[in-house]
Amino acid sequence: PPKPNTVINKRGNSQGNFNNGAMAAIQGDWIYYSTYTAFYKMKTDGSDKEVLASIWNVSFVYVNNKKMYYSTGTNNSTSLCIMDLETKENKVYDDEIYSYIQAPFILNDDIYFLDSYNPQNNCGTLQKKSFNGNDKVQIIDIPVRKFMIYDGWIYYTTYHFSLHRARLDGTEDKEIISGKYFSAFSITDEGIFASNNKLLKISFDGS
């Protein structure tokens, strides 16, 4: 018989799902997803559907190895949580309550996210926190609209719709595109693909 798919996520979710709220994640042969009222898993062929837990107000799903990370709560009181996929045990990741967490991105042992997200200008402060319990650290000094991480770099858009890139610790921050409205962007090995009423392909240095 064929061997099971034992792929382990290192980032937690795909960039496509990240752009659309990250409400589902694939690891190996399994899809993990939320319906806002419960967590489910099922095989990629649609079989073996199972309820993992009944949890309300989930805002993202990330799967990394044997754990699933998610946030739950209201706009003014959001907690980061972890589920053990083998035991189905749920616990709050830390005791801090975030005012409005948005756009989390898991990379190895760190989680990057927009904290204090303001729906009026669609921006927040880009923070990093390690799963080993270290305090969160603000990475970028200016308000961030959207961000992605690729090959050791953070790519992000600002309130003024310019596109920047910086190292994972916030150093070497550089504006690579300015004056363009990007409704969305994604990154592949071929470069940056951005939408501003038409699809643009941009090199990693902005040329």
Side-chain angles (χ1 to χ4, degrees):
K3 294 182 179 179
N5 189 333
T6 56
V7 172
I8 295 175
N9 291 343
K10 292 184 178 180
R11 193 169 54 205
N13 211 323
S14 69
Q15 291 185 350
N17 278 347
F18 176 83
N19 273 339
N20 291 283
M23 295 304 294
I26 294 178
Q27 180 170 258
D29 294 327
W30 292 95
I31 301 172
Y32 301 85
Y33 65 97
S34 171
T35 61
Y36 296 100
T37 61
F39 280 127
Y40 296 83
K41 76 171 184 177
M42 68 178 180
K43 290 289 186 66
T44 52
D45 63 3
S47 63
D48 296 336
K49 182 177 177 180
E50 177 184 348
V51 178
L52 296 176
S54 296
I55 299 175
W56 288 72
N57 295 326
V58 172
S59 59
F60 72 87
V61 176
Y62 273 51
V63 175
N64 189 314
N65 200 356
K66 297 177 182 180
K67 290 182 171 57
M68 178 165 63
Y69 303 89
Y70 62 96
S71 70
T72 181
T74 64
N75 288 353
N76 296 318
S77 180
T78 302
S79 298
L80 292 172
C81 302
I82 300 176
M83 177 189 291
D84 186 308
L85 293 174
E86 292 186 333
T87 65
K88 300 182 184 177
E89 177 187 4
N90 284 281
K91 65 179 181 179
V92 176
Y93 165 61
D94 60 25
D95 294 330
E96 184 168 1
I97 301 299
Y98 300 88
S99 59
Y100 195 106
I101 190 171
Q102 186 79 357
F105 198 98
I106 292 174
L107 181 67
N108 298 323
D109 294 325
D110 296 319
I111 179 169
Y112 295 77
F113 58 93
L114 297 182
D115 193 16
S116 301
Y117 185 79
N118 185 347
Q120 294 182 345
N121 63 13
N122 296 318
C123 291
T125 58
L126 181 54
Q127 310 274 355
K128 180 182 82 168
K129 190 163 186 174
S130 297
F131 290 121
N132 62 16
N134 289 348
D135 292 337
K136 67 178 181 179
V137 177
Q138 184 169 337
I139 301 298
I140 303 297
D141 292 332
I142 60 177
V144 172
R145 185 179 294 271
K146 294 182 179 180
F147 77 97
M148 283 190 176
I149 296 175
Y150 182 83
D151 196 25
W153 293 91
I154 300 171
Y155 294 83
Y156 69 94
T157 53
T158 69
Y159 175 73
H160 299 290
F161 301 104
S162 60
L163 178 64
H164 289 236
R165 79 171 184 174
R167 290 294 185 183
L168 297 179
D169 60 0
T171 60
E172 300 183 43
D173 194 327
K174 179 184 177 181
E175 181 182 73
I176 57 177
I177 296 288
S178 64
K180 295 183 182 292
Y181 174 85
F182 293 123
S183 58
F185 72 96
S186 188
I187 302 174
T188 73
D189 292 339
E190 297 181 3
I192 304 167
F193 292 85
S195 173
N196 67 341
N197 297 323
K198 61 180 180 180
L199 184 63
L200 302 176
K201 182 181 179 182
I202 307 165
S203 68
F204 294 113
D205 62 2
S207 59

